[in-house]
Amino acid sequence: MMFGIGLKMSYSFIKMRKKILAIGQQTDQKKNIFSGQSMMFDALLDYLVEQDENVLVVNLTSKHQDIQVGKIYFKRIWEYLSIIFRSIPKFIKQRKGILYITTAQTKGGFLRDFIFINLAKLLRYKILLQQFGSNFQIFYESLSPLFKKMVRMTFNQADYIIVEGEFTKRQFEIIDDFERKVIAVTNGLPERNIVSVVEGKQYDDSRPFNLIFLSYMIESKGYWDVLEAVDILRNKFNLNVSCIFSGIFKPSVDDERYSNIQEAEKEFNSFIDKKQLNNVVTYYKGLMGEQKAQAFLNANVFLLPSYFKFEGQPVSVLEAMAYGAIPIVTKYRMIPEMVTEETGIFVEKKSPLQIAMSIKHLMGNKIIYHTMSQKNIERYKTYFTIEKYCEKIMEIVNYMNPLTNN
């Protein structure tokens, strides 16, 4: 048996419960926290429980939703310290087990991980890190020589490091024996309410051509470009389109237009009113369960023209593919490892007109639209199911294989 880069597993494995301490961000329905990373973490936890493993969890999800992505805040550092302190009994209980942790790409997050990883080493854990996103190299290069040394020493303590694709794997060349240690595992769709779709979609021009943007409403995720494209489609091309935006407004260090989320949301709504798009655009703070499934079932196209600093493999792209909604995305970071020229359309960042022209092209070519929709469904089922993802992670966990000593 082999996984990732071809590491061979030549042992006889007798099923025994493994002690696992899992650290990461979890979803929170009350606060509309449904990032791809948190959904992936929850899906893996569910899988480990289904496999009857001995799992304890440390939840890193912040109660502060006004924190700017990528920026250090004192209240977040204090929250980290509180989480670390409360996690110590769990570290002791699972000692000599496996530490699984989703690592950060910021200074504050790294210092948190530094404590977790060194505590795990002290308690003789096997260490499995997972890096979501692909900003690690930029983060590393921004550090002082002393800080860089700390990063290298910390990541070198890992037995294995999981990344989302080959693009991110190359960023870990600073790690000793990185070719063996760093393993690319493609994301899977963690959504539990997925409706099985077999046939590609047909476009009926007697009905609106339905668009959907589902992500955090962060400027660099491209929601403004989508909104301006909708204005072009409706008010310049006079095309029958509708668009759903779903996600909470969230600040980020790469914001350019607005200094706070209140101003961003106000301008978003003001633009809709000014351009008379109220009957075209629908905004939700968060779509969940059957409501989200229905939105994707109705969607003809999914839009994520992202240039977000911390972007990796967006789970929402996989969700669109599973439902046969054609992705219109940027050729950015690891998105091209998910979407191909046969399954989606690539546009430049900050290019509302390109987005609008791409949608107009699909609306005018029904056969091309149906074929691309079908290929999305097939590609999702072949490469991106959550079962395939969890099985690959479990293969690595089994290879590490420290068993319970109860």
Side-chain angles (χ1 to χ4, degrees):
M1 184 182 294
M2 294 182 159
F3 64 76
I5 58 174
L7 183 59
K8 295 183 179 179
M9 300 169 64
S10 57
Y11 59 90
S12 59
F13 176 66
I14 301 172
K15 175 63 180 175
M16 294 179 66
R17 299 185 80 210
K18 290 175 286 297
K19 294 192 296 187
I20 301 170
L21 181 60
I23 302 178
Q25 295 184 17
Q26 295 188 269
T27 56
D28 188 326
Q29 291 192 15
K30 292 182 179 179
K31 296 178 180 177
N32 282 317
I33 299 174
F34 290 97
S35 68
Q37 180 173 328
S38 64
M39 292 173 68
M40 297 292 291
F41 184 70
D42 279 353
L44 181 60
L45 292 179
D46 290 343
Y47 182 84
L48 291 171
V49 170
E50 289 168 3
Q51 297 296 308
D52 195 34
E53 304 297 355
N54 176 3
V55 183
L56 294 182
V57 180
V58 176
N59 184 9
L60 297 178
T61 300
S62 177
K63 63 182 180 182
H64 305 293
Q65 292 308 299
D66 58 341
I67 289 178
Q68 192 177 55
V69 178
K71 191 172 181 179
I72 296 177
Y73 287 81
F74 175 77
K75 60 185 176 182
R76 184 55 169 152
I77 292 174
W78 182 254
E79 191 173 38
Y80 281 154
L81 291 173
S82 176
I83 291 170
I84 291 166
F85 179 77
R86 286 185 280 109
S87 73
I88 292 175
K90 294 180 180 180
F91 266 92
I92 294 172
K93 185 172 182 179
Q94 301 294 78
R95 63 189 180 279
K96 299 183 182 179
I98 291 176
L99 174 72
Y100 166 82
I101 179 171
T102 58
T103 53
Q105 300 175 91
T106 62
K107 286 184 179 179
F110 167 74
L111 291 173
R112 171 204 73 200
D113 298 340
F114 173 83
I115 296 172
F116 280 138
I117 292 167
N118 281 283
L119 180 58
K121 203 68 178 178
L122 181 66
L123 294 172
R124 298 172 63 186
Y125 278 76
K126 295 285 187 178
I127 298 173
L128 176 59
L129 311 182
Q130 182 157 16
Q131 179 69 71
F132 288 100
S134 53
N135 195 56
F136 180 81
Q137 185 173 5
I138 295 173
F139 158 66
Y140 178 78
E141 290 175 352
S142 71
L143 303 175
S144 67
L146 178 60
F147 219 117
K148 285 180 179 177
K149 184 176 181 180
M150 285 179 63
V151 170
R152 291 194 304 271
M153 290 175 62
T154 301
F155 279 84
N156 275 331
Q157 294 191 72
D159 293 274
Y160 296 104
I161 303 169
I162 299 170
V163 295
E164 293 174 293
E166 293 300 321
F167 177 88
T168 308
K169 181 175 179 176
R170 292 194 298 272
Q171 296 185 3
F172 280 88
E173 290 180 351
I174 60 166
I175 305 302
D176 295 343
D177 198 16
F178 92 98
E179 283 285 4
R180 180 189 64 82
K181 278 189 174 184
V182 185
I183 303 165
V185 176
T186 301
N187 285 341
L189 176 59
E191 179 57 59
R192 290 288 182 177
N193 294 300
I194 185 75
V195 177
S196 180
V197 179
V198 178
E199 293 294 328
K201 292 178 177 176
Q202 305 278 359
Y203 166 50
D204 179 359
D205 55 15
S206 68
R207 310 173 82 175
F209 195 78
N210 297 318
L211 320 174
I212 185 169
F213 172 96
L214 188 144
S215 183
Y216 282 133
M217 298 286 280
I218 293 174
E219 183 182 324
S220 56
K221 288 280 189 175
Y223 76 86
W224 259 110
D225 305 318
V226 173
L227 184 60
E228 291 176 357
V230 172
D231 173 43
I232 294 169
L233 288 163
R234 189 71 186 92
N235 294 320
K236 293 186 178 180
F237 296 164
N238 197 30
L239 293 174
N240 186 15
V241 298
S242 69
C243 187
I244 286 175
F245 290 83
S246 176
I248 60 173
F249 281 82
K250 197 169 181 68
S252 177
V253 291
D254 52 3
D255 287 342
E256 296 177 1
R257 291 189 184 218
Y258 307 109
S259 59
N260 58 67
I261 58 175
Q262 291 77 21
E263 185 182 352
E265 186 169 4
K266 180 181 177 182
E267 287 301 311
F268 177 79
N269 291 321
S270 176
F271 186 91
I272 292 170
D273 290 337
K274 180 180 178 182
K275 299 295 182 175
Q276 298 181 336
L277 297 173
N278 301 84
N279 295 327
V280 177
V281 172
T282 305
Y283 169 67
Y284 300 93
K285 286 187 176 180
L287 286 171
M288 296 171 282
E290 292 183 8
Q291 191 180 20
K292 182 168 71 166
Q294 193 60 49
F296 271 109
L297 280 170
N298 293 335
N300 297 104
V301 161
F302 170 80
L303 297 149
L304 191 70
S306 177
Y307 48 99
F308 178 50
K309 182 177 181 179
F310 302 99
E311 197 67 87
Q313 283 188 334
V315 170
S316 54
V317 175
L318 302 182
E319 195 156 16
M321 293 171 66
Y323 284 101
I326 296 173
I328 295 179
V329 292
T330 42
K331 193 173 284 188
Y332 180 67
R333 298 289 173 87
M334 286 180 287
I335 294 175
E337 295 186 24
M338 307 161 76
V339 179
T340 68
E341 301 283 354
E342 290 185 331
T343 60
I345 297 176
F346 293 105
V347 295
E348 300 296 324
K349 70 177 184 179
K350 303 182 182 180
S351 57
L353 181 58
Q354 280 188 30
I355 295 169
M357 293 299 294
S358 299
I359 293 167
K360 184 180 180 182
H361 169 73
L362 291 174
M363 293 178 71
N365 293 274
K366 295 183 181 181
I367 295 176
I368 291 175
Y369 174 80
H370 173 69
T371 301
M372 292 179 72
S373 178
Q374 182 65 47
K375 286 184 179 296
N376 270 286
I377 297 168
E378 293 169 356
R379 183 166 172 78
Y380 156 72
K381 290 183 176 179
T382 302
Y383 298 107
F384 299 116
T385 65
I386 194 61
E387 291 77 17
K388 288 183 172 65
Y389 168 81
C390 288
E391 287 166 4
K392 290 176 183 176
I393 301 293
M394 199 63 195
E395 195 173 341
I396 300 168
V397 170
N398 286 341
Y399 189 85
M400 296 168 74
N401 199 28
L403 302 177
T404 328
N405 294 314
N406 291 334

